[in-house]
Each structure stands twice: as structure tokens, then as C-alpha cells.
Amino acid sequence: MGNITNSDMNPEIKKNSIIRLFNVSKRYNGKFALKDINLDIEPGEFIFISGPSGAGKSTLLKVLYLAEKVSEGQILIDGMNLARISSSRLPLLRRRFGMVFQDFKLIPNRTVYENVALVLEAAGEKPDYIRKKVMQVLRTTEMDKKAKALPPTLSGGEQQRVAVARALVGEPSIILADEPTGSLDAKSAQAVLDFIMEYHKKGATVLVASHNLHLLESSVRGRNIEITEGTIKRTATML
Amino acid sequence: MSPFIKKALTDIRLNRFLNLVTIFTISLSILVVSVFMLFFENAGRVIEAWNQGGRAMIYLKDNFTMDMLPELKDRINSLGNIQGLVFISKDEALDRLKKEISSSSAFLKTLQGNPLPDALEIQMTSYNSLEEVEAFAEKIKRIEIVDDVEYGQGWLGKFLKIFNLFKITGYAMCGLFFLVALFITSNTVRLAFYSRKLEVEVMRLVGATETFIKAPFYVEGLLQGFIGGVLGLAILLITYLMFSSGMTQGLSSYIYFDVRFLSIKTMGLIIFGSTFLGWFGCYLSLKQILR
Ligand SMILES: Nc1ncnc2c1ncn2[C@@H]1O[C@H](COP(=O)(O)OP(=O)(O)OP(=O)(O)O)[C@@H](O)[C@H]1O
Ligand SMILES: [Mg+2]
């Protein structure tokens, strides 16, 4: 599928990358949120995106699932060129991702269960499977007892866990988690991260964006990509 | 139950007020439309009954003689659409008149000779409109020996003209109410859509297709249209039943035809129309909102 063969020119880029960014820039009203990003992520990698507020962490995740279009450059997901993806195939692309949004994006007048089930309903799964799978994911995130609750009645940490449950329920190959431990205390943050790590161990590629560097101490083996003002400042392999 | 229908029902429940207003508006419009339909159907039936048989009298000139009859019959028959043709001589006509009016009537005694013309009574087979009958009568009038043709053109024509005027007004009213209902419906869908903006956004982000996103709105529109239509007809039916039961004692002696409720076919058509209205309102607003 992938017809860009930069790997021939650049031996550092591996052929089996699941995510590739070539000179990606994103401008909002002329101002760069991302500037000339080159990135190559292998399947099963754990990527930690750090950097100060406003650095472009969220923007980097958003261009991956096409919530935002890049201003310049190319992105390949599993060999698919995002610039060429048709609107009818966009949903299929997005089903490869499990997203934890920085602002959760839980639907307030739908129950916890309904919020999580939505992903599988959208993918056209059978009702029996949906019921089984949603309850299973809610159990692993310890939210099964609140399945009938509405999001506004939950604490921040509980909402965060629902958001993670929703990201995992579709068994995506890539997890994009934007500030998944945002406003949580250390214990809750660790719990949420553990859910994601658990899923990562099954082979999923995970990208976590956070300015909370303490998360790095939690025995994560992966890469830390530090961005400031839209450019990659430093890449470090952790542990 | 389909998940879309379940979802739409939940949405209707969540947006109770908005949906009630819409359903009420639709049912009001349907009520107006079906009142007109009720009038048209009954008036149409009455006109048909009056017109039944398609009888016409052809009055002949004084110089008519019996030996002209076969040729005249042939000519009229050749014009087509004739079922029966009976000659009534002036003497027969006078006899009939005498029978109808009491023979002792002073009026008949003072009568000198027979002032009545010879006539042909014809029965037309198929005609659809008064215009057709008119055209046919014109053709007969052109035969030299024919003096005049009478087919109730006077009062029936006038009645039909009024009826047609009503019909046009009715259509205009129906159209107006249709537009109002359409406007309200599409606005409800728009409001429903905006009230679920976050939900739509999330659905898109988690990989829902546009069809999946739109389907509940369409189901909702269809349901609103359907419920509105049924409600409108139900209100009309209840009103009709109340009136007609009261009328049997009171008014029925004055009105010599019974007012019948809408036919099943018309009711089906009205409900189909209002369901379509719900769908179309949804289609219009989604088309406008989504790209
Ligand atoms: N929709 C938008 N319109 C205009 N500017 C935007 C928009 N989204 C982001 N930006 C700008 O792009 C830059 C990067 O924003 P981004 O949200 O990616 O930062 P971030 O690293 O995620 O920050 P934080 O840690 O606070 O979440 C910021 O300067 C922000 O103001
Ligand atoms: Mg952010």
C-alpha cells in the first residue's frame, strides 16, 4: 500500500513502521504548532511524548487520527497515506486507534456503559459481543459497578478510567492517550497507566502525551520524545 | 428491536419537549390537511351521486317528424358514449306531466294544445368530468334538428365551480401547512443535532460512518412524522365521531347524505405523507448541517 519509499534513501527508517511522519508541520493561523516533525514508530513500541504546555503534544496526536489535517508533510499509518484517505475510509482508519482525549469527551447524557459501547456499535459489532466486551473492559478498569452512572456524576479519576475503557474496548492496534493521568493523584494515575501498560503488553503500539515526567519512572520500557514549540528537541530510550 | 430505533426512542425521551412540539405541529398540519380531504372526499362522492347515470335531455325543434328519428338516432350514436336512447314524443311528455301534476289541475285545463317539444332522453356511459359532458352536449347541439340539450349544467356547473375554488384553497392551505410542518421538523432535527454535537463529534472520532451517525436522526424524523400523522387523524376521527353521533338526531334530517370518514386509502396516504414529511425535514437539515 505504501508507495513512498523514503526507506531506500534513509536507511534509518525501518520498513515495518506502523506510524511514519515525514517533515510534518501544522500551522494554526500561520503559527506553527508542529514544525518539520520526522518520526518513525514500530509496532508494539511505547512512545512517551513530553514537553511543556503548548508544545504541540496534543496536535501531534490529532494529526495521526486526522482530527486535524497537516499543513505540510506526509503521514503513513500502516502504509496508508493519510493525505489520500477518502472520507468513506476515514472511519476505518480511526477504528485502528483507541483514543483517550485530554478532555475525555464523554457524552454527558449517556451512561458509562453506553459511552463505551458506542465504539463497538459504530464498528457494527453484534449486540452479544458488545455486551460481553464492554462489561469485560469495565471490569478491568474497575468501573463495572458504575456502568449505569452518567459521566457528570463521576469523579475525575473515574471519568478518566471510563475514557481509557472506551479507548481499549475496540481492541485497537494503536493507543493514543493524551494526558491520561491529567488531574489524577499519584495512585489513580498509576492505576490508569497500568491499564494502558497491560494492554501494551498484548502487543499494541502506545503513544502517551503528558507533561508529567513522573510517569516515566513507572518502569516503562520505551522511547521518550520531548517536544518544545512544535519541534522534537530530544529523543531518549528509556530503561 | 433495531438499535437505531432504540436509540431514536431514547433521544425522543431525552428531548421530550422539543419532540412534543414537533409532533404536535405535524399533527396539527395533518389535521388541517385531513379536514380538507374529508370535505373533498364527501363532496366528490355527492357530486358523483348527483351526476350518476349521466342523463341528458335533447329537445327537438318543432319541424321534427317521426321519419327523421332513425337518422337522428344514428347520428347521436355515432358521437359515442351513449348507453341508452329513448324517444319521448310531445304527447308522451304531456301524458307524463299530467300524471305528475294532478289531472284536475286548472293549469292543464286552460292549456291550449301541447306546448311541449319532442325529446330524446339519453344515457351516457363513461364521462369523467363536466367538461367532457359539456363538449358532448355541444356536439349534439350542432345537429340542425336539435333545439337544446339539458344536462343540469346550470346548478351543477356552478356547484362544481365553487367546489373547484374550495379545492384550490384547500391545496394552497395544505401546501402551506406542509411547509410549516417541514420547517418545524427540520428545525427540530437541527436543534437535536446541535444538542448532540459532542456525541456526533465523539462518534466520528471513534470511527462511526456518516450513515451510522445520521441513522438515528432519520429514524427520529420518521417516527415524529408517523406519530404526528396518526395523532392528527385520531383527533379528526374523535371529532368526527362526536359530531356524527350528535348529528343523527339533530342535523341528519336536514342533510340527506351521510358524511363518511376518510377511506382507508386516504388515511394510509396521509400517514405516509406525514412520515415522508418527517424524513424530508430531517434530510433537509442534515444536508445543510453536514457539509
Ligand atoms: N484549534 C486550534 N486553533 C488555534 N490554535 C491551536 C488550536 N489547537 C492548538 N493550537 C495551538 O497550537 C499549539 C499547540 O497546542 P497543543 O494543544 O498541541 O499543546 P499541548 O502540548 O498539547 O499542550 P498541553 O500540555 O497544555 O495540552 C498551542 O500554541 C495552541 O495554542
Ligand atoms: Mg495537550
Side-chain angles (χ1 to χ4, degrees), chain B:
Chain B
M1 198 169 14
S2 148
F4 290 130
I5 296 180
K6 218 167 103 187
K7 210 167 173 145
L9 285 176
T10 320
D11 291 336
I12 288 180
R13 198 155 38 75
L14 287 174
N15 282 312
R16 237 168 284 134
F17 180 71
L18 203 61
N19 281 286
L20 277 179
V21 169
T22 311
I23 289 172
F24 187 68
T25 315
I26 293 178
S27 59
L28 209 68
S29 309
I30 290 303
L31 187 63
V32 171
V33 172
S34 46
V35 163
F36 273 105
M37 294 297 254
L38 191 70
F39 173 76
F40 291 151
E41 267 199 13
N42 280 289
R45 202 160 42 79
V46 168
I47 287 173
E48 202 169 290
W50 282 336
N51 234 351
Q52 205 89 69
R55 231 175 267 270
M57 290 298 278
I58 301 171
Y59 298 109
L60 304 172
K61 288 183 179 153
D62 271 349
N63 53 354
F64 172 80
T65 51
M66 277 309 277
D67 52 306
M68 289 174 177
L69 189 61
E71 199 207 329
L72 182 64
K73 274 186 174 176
D74 282 349
R75 283 190 67 178
I76 292 172
N77 270 322
S78 73
L79 293 171
N81 288 334
I82 306 295
Q83 203 172 39
L85 210 157
V86 181
F87 177 73
I88 301 164
S89 69
K90 51 173 81 174
D91 299 333
E92 269 176 84
L94 191 62
D95 281 348
R96 275 195 200 179
L97 194 65
K98 278 178 180 166
K99 251 175 237 158
E100 274 165 35
I101 307 169
S102 147
S103 49
S104 61
S105 162
F107 162 68
L108 281 176
K109 279 180 188 145
T110 59
L111 209 61
Q112 308 268 313
N114 186 353
L116 298 175
D118 289 315
L120 275 169
E121 189 184 317
I122 60 168
Q123 179 104 31
M124 286 171 272
T125 41
S126 74
Y127 61 93
N128 300 317
S129 62
L130 201 69
E131 284 82 49
E132 258 179 73
V133 180
E134 242 163 28
F136 184 63
E138 258 335 289
K139 278 192 222 160
I140 294 174
K141 257 191 205 168
R142 256 177 257 136
I143 301 171
E144 314 77 52
I145 202 70
V146 173
D147 186 33
D148 200 9
V149 182
E150 196 187 272
Y151 53 92
Q153 66 270 57
W155 62 270
L156 196 60
K158 257 179 223 145
F159 183 80
L160 271 179
K161 274 198 189 100
I162 293 168
F163 181 64
N164 283 334
L165 202 71
F166 257 116
K167 230 175 181 167
I168 291 165
T169 320
Y171 284 144
M173 289 283 278
C174 289
L176 194 72
F177 271 84
F178 185 83
L179 285 181
V180 169
L182 195 65
F183 178 76
I184 299 274
T185 316
S186 73
N187 257 320
T188 314
V189 174
R190 193 200 317 273
L191 286 175
F193 194 90
Y194 286 138
S195 78
R196 277 184 267 162
K197 218 172 156 63
L198 175 66
E199 188 178 342
V200 170
E201 187 198 344
V202 172
M203 283 202 271
R204 284 216 178 101
L205 290 177
V206 301
T209 58
E210 290 302 297
T211 315
F212 180 87
I213 294 169
K214 285 180 200 166
F217 291 100
Y218 276 115
V219 174
E220 205 175 312
L222 287 172
L223 275 178
Q224 281 173 348
F226 181 77
I227 296 171
V230 170
L231 199 69
L233 276 183
I235 295 172
L236 185 68
L237 182 63
I238 290 166
T239 318
Y240 166 82
L241 288 177
M242 266 158 44
F243 264 95
S244 63
S245 67
M247 210 154 72
T248 36
Q249 286 101 39
L251 273 172
S252 64
S253 46
Y254 299 102
I255 298 174
Y256 60 94
F257 65 90
D258 59 330
V259 177
R260 256 184 249 164
F261 198 64
L262 296 167
S263 64
I264 299 282
K265 198 177 135 206
T266 310
M267 285 196 284
L269 216 67
I270 286 173
I271 288 176
F272 175 81
S274 76
T275 311
F276 171 78
L277 187 126
W279 176 84
F280 193 53
C282 185
Y283 170 80
L284 286 181
S285 71
L286 287 188
K287 203 175 147 80
Q288 200 185 12
I289 296 166
L290 306 170
R291 279 185 296 274

Side-chain angles (χ1 to χ4, degrees), chain A residues 28-29 31 33 52-59 68 102 179 211:
Chain A
Y28 287 113
N29 314 318
K31 202 176 140 276
S53 188
K57 303 184 293 297
S58 297
T59 309
E68 297 284 358
Q102 189 164 10
E179 221 62 77
H211 50 231

Side-chain angles (χ1 to χ4, degrees), chain A residues 84-98:
Chain A
R84 302 223 186 106
I85 210 156
S86 65
S87 58
S88 62
R89 286 190 51 201
L90 180 60
L92 296 177
L93 169 88
R94 286 184 174 155
R95 284 176 207 169
R96 288 165 176 255
F97 294 104

